[in-house]
Amino acid sequence: MLNKCYSNFTIECGTDEAGRGCLAGPVTAAAIILQSPNIKLTKEQKKQEHLLFQAINDSKQLSEKKRFELRPIIEDLFDFSFTHIYNVEIDEINILNASMKAMQESVLKLKTIPEYIIVDGNRPLNGKLGMKQKEGKIFNTKEIEILSSIPNTSIIKGDAKFLSIAAASILAKTYRDDFMDTIHEEYPMYNWKKNKGYPTKEHRDAIRKYGITKYHRKTFRLLPEQLILEL
């Protein structure tokens, strides 16, 4: 079983994102608190929690079926939220900032303000607050103060080490998959239901044939550069 806590704080939040390397669609983040004085579990829920903690792992290590089986259990037991940052905003502020902002927004949506945050990756959560932008949510002064005041630690491969980050990765992945399945119906030729917007050969071949859509990230290298040899 993965570790439940990183800090000694009572209310610790884990957060993670999915879809950072995709050519189309949003980057999606989730935040979750596995222990909170505001949530009291029944005896039956505590049994569910024990079984859930045995099953949770980094979402990349779980099958799609397993991720979607675990999601409603996670949602039933814990305080959680998720956020999509769409491609237009990604193109404006870049994918690194968009990934971090998705996690920041998710933290703000929680019912309880966490005392400590652990985040997957190698960047602190409270960087780049209050960016001036045209697209997406703009944090107000109070929200910036909240995010700035919460101590946090970034953990490389945290989704394979801590339960809260792993649970957040499952939520982020499944909610993003839901979104890609929906827009697949609008543009089935890109087969987003299967590739979820990642740069597969099939996806890039479709871009060559049909061009780009309103969901593609225009600042990304949608097609690899052609090699030209001077003979």
Side-chain angles (χ1 to χ4, degrees), residues 41-83:
L41 301 182
T42 65
K43 187 174 181 181
E44 183 60 33
Q45 285 177 321
K46 287 181 179 178
K47 288 182 181 179
Q48 278 189 307
E49 179 188 61
H50 177 73
L51 294 173
L52 177 68
F53 287 169
Q54 298 293 327
I56 283 179
N57 200 349
D58 168 16
S59 64
K60 295 185 290 296
Q61 303 301 318
L62 300 173
S63 67
E64 181 179 14
K65 180 182 178 183
K66 191 65 176 179
R67 289 193 294 267
F68 277 96
E69 286 176 354
L70 294 176
R71 187 173 83 179
I73 303 173
I74 293 170
E75 294 176 340
D76 182 55
L77 296 177
F78 306 114
D79 183 2
F80 77 95
S81 66
F82 72 93
T83 301

Short mmCIF file of all heavy atoms in Angstrom, two decimals, residues 41-83:
data_model
loop_
_atom_site.label_atom_id
_atom_site.label_comp_id
_atom_site.label_asym_id
_atom_site.label_seq_id
_atom_site.Cartn_x
_atom_site.Cartn_y
_atom_site.Cartn_z
N LEU A 41 -16.67 8.89 8.53
CA LEU A 41 -17.02 7.69 7.80
C LEU A 41 -17.77 6.71 8.68
O LEU A 41 -17.47 6.56 9.86
CB LEU A 41 -15.75 7.02 7.25
CG LEU A 41 -14.87 7.84 6.31
CD1 LEU A 41 -13.70 7.00 5.84
CD2 LEU A 41 -15.67 8.35 5.12
N THR A 42 -18.75 6.03 8.10
CA THR A 42 -19.45 4.97 8.80
C THR A 42 -18.54 3.74 8.88
O THR A 42 -17.48 3.67 8.23
CB THR A 42 -20.74 4.60 8.08
OG1 THR A 42 -20.41 4.04 6.79
CG2 THR A 42 -21.63 5.83 7.89
N LYS A 43 -18.98 2.75 9.62
CA LYS A 43 -18.20 1.51 9.74
C LYS A 43 -18.04 0.85 8.38
O LYS A 43 -16.97 0.35 8.03
CB LYS A 43 -18.90 0.57 10.72
CG LYS A 43 -18.09 -0.68 11.05
CD LYS A 43 -18.77 -1.51 12.13
CE LYS A 43 -17.95 -2.74 12.48
NZ LYS A 43 -18.63 -3.56 13.53
N GLU A 44 -19.13 0.85 7.60
CA GLU A 44 -19.08 0.25 6.27
C GLU A 44 -18.15 1.04 5.35
O GLU A 44 -17.40 0.45 4.55
CB GLU A 44 -20.48 0.19 5.66
CG GLU A 44 -20.55 -0.48 4.30
CD GLU A 44 -20.08 -1.92 4.32
OE1 GLU A 44 -20.27 -2.61 5.34
OE2 GLU A 44 -19.49 -2.35 3.30
N GLN A 45 -18.19 2.36 5.46
CA GLN A 45 -17.31 3.19 4.64
C GLN A 45 -15.84 2.99 5.02
O GLN A 45 -14.97 3.05 4.15
CB GLN A 45 -17.70 4.66 4.78
CG GLN A 45 -18.96 5.05 4.03
CD GLN A 45 -19.36 6.48 4.26
OE1 GLN A 45 -19.24 7.01 5.38
NE2 GLN A 45 -19.83 7.14 3.21
N LYS A 46 -15.58 2.75 6.28
CA LYS A 46 -14.20 2.49 6.71
C LYS A 46 -13.67 1.19 6.10
O LYS A 46 -12.50 1.08 5.76
CB LYS A 46 -14.12 2.46 8.23
CG LYS A 46 -14.25 3.83 8.87
CD LYS A 46 -14.14 3.77 10.39
CE LYS A 46 -14.25 5.17 10.98
NZ LYS A 46 -14.19 5.15 12.46
N LYS A 47 -14.58 0.21 5.96
CA LYS A 47 -14.19 -1.03 5.29
C LYS A 47 -13.87 -0.76 3.82
O LYS A 47 -12.89 -1.28 3.28
CB LYS A 47 -15.32 -2.07 5.39
CG LYS A 47 -15.51 -2.66 6.77
CD LYS A 47 -16.62 -3.70 6.74
CE LYS A 47 -16.85 -4.30 8.11
NZ LYS A 47 -17.95 -5.30 8.10
N GLN A 48 -14.74 0.07 3.20
CA GLN A 48 -14.50 0.45 1.81
C GLN A 48 -13.17 1.19 1.68
O GLN A 48 -12.42 0.96 0.73
CB GLN A 48 -15.62 1.36 1.32
CG GLN A 48 -16.88 0.65 0.87
CD GLN A 48 -17.83 1.62 0.19
OE1 GLN A 48 -18.17 2.65 0.75
NE2 GLN A 48 -18.24 1.29 -1.02
N GLU A 49 -12.89 2.07 2.62
CA GLU A 49 -11.66 2.83 2.58
C GLU A 49 -10.44 1.91 2.64
O GLU A 49 -9.48 2.08 1.89
CB GLU A 49 -11.62 3.82 3.75
CG GLU A 49 -10.34 4.65 3.82
CD GLU A 49 -10.26 5.48 5.08
OE1 GLU A 49 -10.24 4.87 6.17
OE2 GLU A 49 -10.20 6.71 4.98
N HIS A 50 -10.49 0.93 3.52
CA HIS A 50 -9.37 -0.01 3.66
C HIS A 50 -9.13 -0.77 2.35
O HIS A 50 -7.98 -0.88 1.89
CB HIS A 50 -9.65 -1.00 4.78
CG HIS A 50 -8.58 -2.05 4.95
ND1 HIS A 50 -7.34 -1.77 5.48
CD2 HIS A 50 -8.56 -3.37 4.60
CE1 HIS A 50 -6.60 -2.86 5.47
NE2 HIS A 50 -7.31 -3.84 4.94
N LEU A 51 -10.20 -1.25 1.73
CA LEU A 51 -10.06 -1.98 0.46
C LEU A 51 -9.59 -1.05 -0.65
O LEU A 51 -8.78 -1.43 -1.50
CB LEU A 51 -11.40 -2.62 0.08
CG LEU A 51 -11.90 -3.74 1.00
CD1 LEU A 51 -13.30 -4.17 0.60
CD2 LEU A 51 -10.95 -4.93 0.98
N LEU A 52 -10.09 0.19 -0.62
CA LEU A 52 -9.69 1.17 -1.63
C LEU A 52 -8.20 1.47 -1.54
O LEU A 52 -7.51 1.50 -2.57
CB LEU A 52 -10.49 2.46 -1.43
CG LEU A 52 -10.14 3.63 -2.36
CD1 LEU A 52 -10.57 3.30 -3.79
CD2 LEU A 52 -10.82 4.91 -1.87
N PHE A 53 -7.70 1.66 -0.33
CA PHE A 53 -6.28 1.99 -0.16
C PHE A 53 -5.38 0.84 -0.62
O PHE A 53 -4.25 1.06 -1.05
CB PHE A 53 -5.99 2.33 1.31
CG PHE A 53 -6.51 3.68 1.73
CD1 PHE A 53 -6.53 4.03 3.07
CD2 PHE A 53 -6.99 4.59 0.81
CE1 PHE A 53 -7.00 5.27 3.47
CE2 PHE A 53 -7.47 5.83 1.19
CZ PHE A 53 -7.48 6.18 2.53
N GLN A 54 -5.90 -0.39 -0.54
CA GLN A 54 -5.14 -1.53 -1.05
C GLN A 54 -5.07 -1.51 -2.57
O GLN A 54 -4.11 -2.01 -3.17
CB GLN A 54 -5.78 -2.85 -0.57
CG GLN A 54 -5.81 -3.04 0.93
CD GLN A 54 -4.43 -3.23 1.53
OE1 GLN A 54 -3.54 -3.79 0.91
NE2 GLN A 54 -4.25 -2.73 2.75
N ALA A 55 -6.13 -0.94 -3.20
CA ALA A 55 -6.24 -0.99 -4.66
C ALA A 55 -5.65 0.22 -5.36
O ALA A 55 -5.24 0.14 -6.52
CB ALA A 55 -7.71 -1.14 -5.06
N ILE A 56 -5.58 1.36 -4.68
CA ILE A 56 -5.14 2.60 -5.32
C ILE A 56 -3.67 2.51 -5.70
O ILE A 56 -2.83 2.04 -4.93
CB ILE A 56 -5.37 3.81 -4.40
CG1 ILE A 56 -6.84 4.20 -4.41
CG2 ILE A 56 -4.53 5.01 -4.83
CD1 ILE A 56 -7.18 5.38 -3.52
N ASN A 57 -3.38 3.00 -6.89
CA ASN A 57 -2.00 3.11 -7.36
C ASN A 57 -1.96 4.25 -8.36
O ASN A 57 -3.00 4.81 -8.74
CB ASN A 57 -1.55 1.80 -8.01
CG ASN A 57 -0.04 1.67 -8.07
OD1 ASN A 57 0.70 2.63 -7.83
ND2 ASN A 57 0.44 0.47 -8.39
N ASP A 58 -0.75 4.60 -8.78
CA ASP A 58 -0.59 5.55 -9.88
C ASP A 58 -1.52 5.15 -11.02
O ASP A 58 -1.55 3.98 -11.42
CB ASP A 58 0.89 5.54 -10.30
CG ASP A 58 1.15 6.26 -11.60
OD1 ASP A 58 0.29 7.03 -12.06
OD2 ASP A 58 2.25 6.06 -12.15
N SER A 59 -2.29 6.11 -11.53
CA SER A 59 -3.29 5.79 -12.55
C SER A 59 -2.69 5.12 -13.77
O SER A 59 -3.35 4.32 -14.45
CB SER A 59 -4.04 7.05 -12.97
OG SER A 59 -3.17 7.98 -13.59
N LYS A 60 -1.42 5.43 -14.07
CA LYS A 60 -0.77 4.82 -15.24
C LYS A 60 -0.54 3.33 -15.04
O LYS A 60 -0.31 2.60 -16.01
CB LYS A 60 0.56 5.54 -15.52
CG LYS A 60 0.40 7.00 -15.92
CD LYS A 60 1.72 7.64 -16.31
CE LYS A 60 2.65 7.82 -15.13
NZ LYS A 60 2.13 8.77 -14.12
N GLN A 61 -0.56 2.87 -13.79
CA GLN A 61 -0.34 1.46 -13.49
C GLN A 61 -1.66 0.68 -13.42
O GLN A 61 -1.63 -0.54 -13.21
CB GLN A 61 0.41 1.32 -12.15
CG GLN A 61 1.73 2.05 -12.10
CD GLN A 61 2.70 1.58 -13.16
OE1 GLN A 61 2.82 0.38 -13.42
NE2 GLN A 61 3.41 2.52 -13.78
N LEU A 62 -2.78 1.37 -13.59
CA LEU A 62 -4.08 0.73 -13.51
C LEU A 62 -4.73 0.67 -14.88
O LEU A 62 -4.52 1.54 -15.72
CB LEU A 62 -4.99 1.50 -12.55
CG LEU A 62 -4.51 1.65 -11.10
CD1 LEU A 62 -5.44 2.59 -10.34
CD2 LEU A 62 -4.43 0.30 -10.41
N SER A 63 -5.55 -0.33 -15.10
CA SER A 63 -6.30 -0.41 -16.36
C SER A 63 -7.39 0.65 -16.38
O SER A 63 -7.81 1.17 -15.32
CB SER A 63 -6.93 -1.79 -16.51
OG SER A 63 -7.95 -1.98 -15.54
N GLU A 64 -7.87 0.98 -17.57
CA GLU A 64 -8.95 1.94 -17.68
C GLU A 64 -10.18 1.48 -16.89
O GLU A 64 -10.82 2.26 -16.18
CB GLU A 64 -9.32 2.15 -19.15
CG GLU A 64 -10.44 3.16 -19.37
CD GLU A 64 -10.77 3.36 -20.83
OE1 GLU A 64 -10.32 2.55 -21.66
OE2 GLU A 64 -11.47 4.33 -21.14
N LYS A 65 -10.49 0.21 -16.99
CA LYS A 65 -11.63 -0.35 -16.26
C LYS A 65 -11.47 -0.16 -14.76
O LYS A 65 -12.43 0.24 -14.07
CB LYS A 65 -11.78 -1.83 -16.60
CG LYS A 65 -12.94 -2.51 -15.88
CD LYS A 65 -13.02 -3.98 -16.22
CE LYS A 65 -14.16 -4.66 -15.45
NZ LYS A 65 -14.22 -6.12 -15.72
N LYS A 66 -10.28 -0.43 -14.26
CA LYS A 66 -10.03 -0.31 -12.82
C LYS A 66 -10.13 1.14 -12.36
O LYS A 66 -10.69 1.43 -11.29
CB LYS A 66 -8.65 -0.88 -12.48
CG LYS A 66 -8.41 -1.04 -10.98
CD LYS A 66 -9.35 -2.08 -10.39
CE LYS A 66 -9.06 -2.34 -8.94
NZ LYS A 66 -9.99 -3.33 -8.35
N ARG A 67 -9.61 2.06 -13.16
CA ARG A 67 -9.70 3.48 -12.79
C ARG A 67 -11.14 3.92 -12.63
O ARG A 67 -11.50 4.61 -11.67
CB ARG A 67 -8.99 4.35 -13.85
CG ARG A 67 -7.48 4.23 -13.85
CD ARG A 67 -6.83 5.32 -14.68
NE ARG A 67 -7.15 5.23 -16.10
CZ ARG A 67 -6.41 4.60 -17.00
NH1 ARG A 67 -5.29 3.99 -16.62
NH2 ARG A 67 -6.75 4.59 -18.28
N PHE A 68 -11.99 3.52 -13.58
CA PHE A 68 -13.39 3.93 -13.52
C PHE A 68 -14.16 3.17 -12.43
O PHE A 68 -15.17 3.67 -11.92
CB PHE A 68 -14.06 3.75 -14.88
CG PHE A 68 -13.81 4.90 -15.81
CD1 PHE A 68 -12.79 4.84 -16.75
CD2 PHE A 68 -14.57 6.06 -15.73
CE1 PHE A 68 -12.54 5.91 -17.60
CE2 PHE A 68 -14.34 7.14 -16.58
CZ PHE A 68 -13.31 7.07 -17.51
N GLU A 69 -13.69 2.00 -12.04
CA GLU A 69 -14.29 1.29 -10.91
C GLU A 69 -13.97 2.00 -9.59
O GLU A 69 -14.81 2.07 -8.68
CB GLU A 69 -13.78 -0.15 -10.85
CG GLU A 69 -14.37 -1.07 -11.91
CD GLU A 69 -13.75 -2.46 -11.87
OE1 GLU A 69 -12.79 -2.66 -11.09
OE2 GLU A 69 -14.23 -3.34 -12.60
N LEU A 70 -12.75 2.51 -9.49
CA LEU A 70 -12.31 3.14 -8.24
C LEU A 70 -12.88 4.55 -8.07
O LEU A 70 -13.08 5.00 -6.94
CB LEU A 70 -10.78 3.19 -8.19
CG LEU A 70 -10.06 1.85 -8.08
CD1 LEU A 70 -8.55 2.06 -8.14
CD2 LEU A 70 -10.44 1.13 -6.79
N ARG A 71 -13.13 5.25 -9.17
CA ARG A 71 -13.53 6.66 -9.07
C ARG A 71 -14.76 6.89 -8.19
O ARG A 71 -14.72 7.74 -7.29
CB ARG A 71 -13.74 7.27 -10.45
CG ARG A 71 -13.99 8.78 -10.37
CD ARG A 71 -14.04 9.41 -11.75
NE ARG A 71 -15.35 9.29 -12.37
CZ ARG A 71 -15.64 9.79 -13.58
NH1 ARG A 71 -14.72 10.40 -14.29
NH2 ARG A 71 -16.85 9.65 -14.08
N PRO A 72 -15.89 6.19 -8.39
CA PRO A 72 -17.06 6.47 -7.54
C PRO A 72 -16.82 6.17 -6.07
O PRO A 72 -17.42 6.81 -5.20
CB PRO A 72 -18.16 5.59 -8.14
CG PRO A 72 -17.44 4.53 -8.91
CD PRO A 72 -16.20 5.16 -9.42
N ILE A 73 -15.96 5.20 -5.78
CA ILE A 73 -15.65 4.89 -4.38
C ILE A 73 -14.86 6.04 -3.76
O ILE A 73 -15.14 6.48 -2.64
CB ILE A 73 -14.86 3.58 -4.28
CG1 ILE A 73 -15.64 2.44 -4.93
CG2 ILE A 73 -14.57 3.24 -2.81
CD1 ILE A 73 -14.85 1.14 -5.04
N ILE A 74 -13.87 6.53 -4.50
CA ILE A 74 -13.08 7.68 -4.04
C ILE A 74 -14.00 8.88 -3.79
O ILE A 74 -13.92 9.54 -2.74
CB ILE A 74 -12.00 8.04 -5.08
CG1 ILE A 74 -10.96 6.94 -5.19
CG2 ILE A 74 -11.33 9.37 -4.73
CD1 ILE A 74 -9.99 7.10 -6.36
N GLU A 75 -14.90 9.12 -4.72
CA GLU A 75 -15.78 10.28 -4.63
C GLU A 75 -16.77 10.16 -3.46
O GLU A 75 -17.16 11.17 -2.85
CB GLU A 75 -16.53 10.47 -5.94
CG GLU A 75 -15.62 10.83 -7.09
CD GLU A 75 -16.34 10.93 -8.42
OE1 GLU A 75 -17.46 10.36 -8.54
OE2 GLU A 75 -15.81 11.56 -9.33
N ASP A 76 -17.17 8.95 -3.16
CA ASP A 76 -18.13 8.72 -2.08
C ASP A 76 -17.51 8.95 -0.70
O ASP A 76 -18.20 9.35 0.24
CB ASP A 76 -18.68 7.30 -2.17
CG ASP A 76 -19.72 7.00 -1.10
OD1 ASP A 76 -20.71 7.77 -1.03
OD2 ASP A 76 -19.56 6.03 -0.35
N LEU A 77 -16.20 8.74 -0.59
CA LEU A 77 -15.55 8.76 0.72
C LEU A 77 -14.86 10.07 1.06
O LEU A 77 -14.72 10.40 2.25
CB LEU A 77 -14.53 7.63 0.80
CG LEU A 77 -15.07 6.19 0.71
CD1 LEU A 77 -13.92 5.19 0.72
CD2 LEU A 77 -16.05 5.90 1.84
N PHE A 78 -14.44 10.84 0.04
CA PHE A 78 -13.52 11.93 0.33
C PHE A 78 -13.91 13.26 -0.29
O PHE A 78 -14.73 13.32 -1.22
CB PHE A 78 -12.11 11.54 -0.15
CG PHE A 78 -11.62 10.24 0.39
CD1 PHE A 78 -11.39 9.15 -0.45
CD2 PHE A 78 -11.39 10.08 1.74
CE1 PHE A 78 -10.95 7.95 0.05
CE2 PHE A 78 -10.95 8.87 2.26
CZ PHE A 78 -10.73 7.80 1.41
N ASP A 79 -13.32 14.32 0.23
CA ASP A 79 -13.45 15.67 -0.31
C ASP A 79 -12.53 15.77 -1.53
O ASP A 79 -11.31 15.62 -1.41
CB ASP A 79 -13.05 16.67 0.77
CG ASP A 79 -13.22 18.12 0.35
OD1 ASP A 79 -13.69 18.38 -0.77
OD2 ASP A 79 -12.86 19.00 1.16
N PHE A 80 -13.11 16.03 -2.70
CA PHE A 80 -12.32 16.06 -3.93
C PHE A 80 -12.85 17.14 -4.87
O PHE A 80 -13.96 17.66 -4.71
CB PHE A 80 -12.36 14.71 -4.65
CG PHE A 80 -13.66 14.48 -5.38
CD1 PHE A 80 -13.78 14.79 -6.73
CD2 PHE A 80 -14.78 14.01 -4.70
CE1 PHE A 80 -14.99 14.61 -7.40
CE2 PHE A 80 -15.99 13.82 -5.37
CZ PHE A 80 -16.09 14.12 -6.71
N SER A 81 -12.06 17.48 -5.86
CA SER A 81 -12.48 18.38 -6.93
C SER A 81 -11.61 18.12 -8.15
O SER A 81 -10.55 17.49 -8.04
CB SER A 81 -12.37 19.85 -6.49
OG SER A 81 -11.01 20.18 -6.30
N PHE A 82 -12.06 18.63 -9.29
CA PHE A 82 -11.22 18.53 -10.49
C PHE A 82 -11.42 19.77 -11.33
O PHE A 82 -12.42 20.50 -11.20
CB PHE A 82 -11.53 17.26 -11.30
CG PHE A 82 -12.85 17.29 -12.02
CD1 PHE A 82 -12.93 17.71 -13.34
CD2 PHE A 82 -14.02 16.91 -11.37
CE1 PHE A 82 -14.14 17.74 -14.01
CE2 PHE A 82 -15.24 16.94 -12.04
CZ PHE A 82 -15.30 17.35 -13.35
N THR A 83 -10.47 20.03 -12.24
CA THR A 83 -10.50 21.23 -13.08
C THR A 83 -9.94 20.91 -14.45
O THR A 83 -8.89 20.27 -14.57
CB THR A 83 -9.64 22.35 -12.46
OG1 THR A 83 -10.14 22.66 -11.16
CG2 THR A 83 -9.65 23.60 -13.34
#
